[in-house]
Amino acid sequence: MSADTIIIVPTYNESHNIVRLIERLMKLRNRVDVLIIDDGSPDGTADKVKDAQKEYQDRIALIEREGKLGLGTAYVRGFQYALDKGYKFVCEMDADFSHDPDDADRLIDAVKAGEADVAVGSRYANGISIINWPLSRLILSYGANIYARTITGLPIFDTTAGFKCIRREVLEAISIDRIKSNGYAFQIELHFRAWKAGFKLKEVSIVFREREEGVSKMSKAIVREAIWRVWALKFRSIFGVL
């Protein structure tokens, strides 16, 4: 542990992106460590990370898992690692440069300054800030966020955002091992649990770009899970079994 902040990056077949991403994160104004959680990428992503570890030593950690176990389980494993290692601030981001690494500083700043317990990198806080998405995907994402916000009552526009910084007290309070969602639903559930536990969520407007390399992990199963999971969260909250 060489910093008080860690950025968790789940990967699957991101060998074209991961070294460049690590190099960018190592240059952030806020000193951060990085945890890569790789789901058995056949393209050698983990080997690229191991090469980076030789240069950056204790600032890069790698957890290798066998097979695609899902985004949600990757983040839960990462959160457990971060808490065990004593990090005060825990970030999530994608490996594909859809999230600008420099924006991580803005999210970290918001939490460190006490402006938020969860700072959310939002595509929808200032209109629509998305580049190079087809109209069909934009409609799906925007509609999904309206749907989730209407049912759950979440006080943020981008309920499915996967770029954020979280104060460790949030993760300690919300029983992360009880989060069973994956994909979009995981992000909705994390935000919902934090909000219901009394923590402050703040959106920080970002520009989201379609991935530069590789293939999107979006699937119909991810969409279906998000559709029914929000109702499960709502009803569990009503009956006090969240």
Side-chain angles (χ1 to χ4, degrees):
M1 179 178 173
S2 64
D4 62 1
T5 304
I6 188 168
I7 298 180
I8 302 169
V9 185
T11 58
Y12 183 77
N13 285 349
E14 298 289 357
S15 63
H16 293 292
N17 298 315
I18 196 60
V19 174
R20 288 190 299 131
L21 178 63
I22 289 172
E23 290 173 348
R24 291 280 300 275
L25 295 177
M26 292 296 97
K27 296 176 182 178
L28 290 178
R29 173 170 38 80
N30 288 284
R31 183 177 175 87
V32 302
D33 292 342
V34 176
L35 170 63
I36 307 297
I37 303 179
D38 186 66
D39 274 5
S41 298
D43 72 342
T45 299
D47 292 333
K48 297 279 189 178
V49 176
K50 291 172 185 175
D51 289 339
Q53 284 180 311
K54 297 174 185 176
E55 179 175 357
Y56 297 108
Q57 299 179 357
D58 61 342
R59 296 185 65 188
I60 309 296
L62 170 66
I63 294 175
E64 295 183 78
R65 306 196 302 172
E66 295 188 7
K68 296 181 70 173
L69 301 179
L71 183 71
T73 62
Y75 274 129
V76 169
R77 178 68 182 86
F79 293 158
Q80 292 168 337
Y81 175 95
L83 293 177
D84 290 344
K85 296 295 183 179
Y87 289 97
K88 296 180 180 178
F89 309 99
V90 184
C91 302
E92 299 181 9
M93 73 178 299
D94 293 343
D96 58 11
F97 284 91
S98 56
H99 301 144
D100 184 341
D102 291 341
D103 284 336
D105 268 328
R106 299 168 56 222
L107 300 176
I108 295 166
D109 288 345
V111 178
K112 286 189 172 182
E115 297 171 7
D117 300 302
V118 182
V120 179
S122 176
R123 299 162 292 183
Y124 303 121
N126 186 24
I128 298 175
S129 302
I130 297 175
I131 296 175
N132 292 336
W133 261 12
L135 182 60
S136 59
R137 186 168 181 185
L138 177 59
I139 292 172
L140 173 63
S141 175
Y142 194 75
N145 276 283
I146 293 174
Y147 173 83
R149 191 168 69 247
T150 300
I151 294 170
T152 63
L154 273 166
I156 56 175
F157 290 99
D158 199 345
T159 64
T160 61
F163 191 19
K164 61 178 67 73
C165 181
I166 310 165
R167 192 181 305 279
R168 74 169 285 126
E169 288 81 5
V170 176
L171 299 177
E172 290 173 328
I174 64 174
S175 302
I176 56 175
D177 57 323
R178 297 183 62 185
I179 301 178
K180 303 302 180 184
S181 305
N182 270 306
Y184 280 162
F186 173 83
Q187 308 298 355
I188 297 169
E189 182 169 353
L190 178 61
H191 294 147
F192 188 73
R193 287 180 179 272
W195 176 55
K196 283 297 183 179
F199 293 101
K200 182 180 179 181
L201 280 61
K202 176 182 178 179
E203 290 182 282
V204 176
S205 183
I206 64 165
V207 175
F208 182 96
R209 292 172 173 82
E210 178 60 292
R211 60 181 299 126
E212 296 180 2
E213 298 279 356
V215 179
S216 173
K217 311 303 190 294
M218 171 65 68
S219 70
K220 292 181 180 179
I222 288 174
V223 175
R224 285 195 297 268
E225 182 192 27
I227 290 172
W228 68 263
R229 180 67 72 175
V230 293
W231 286 106
L233 291 172
K234 179 69 172 181
F235 286 125
R236 287 181 182 178
S237 174
I238 290 173
F239 293 106
V241 293
L242 188 61

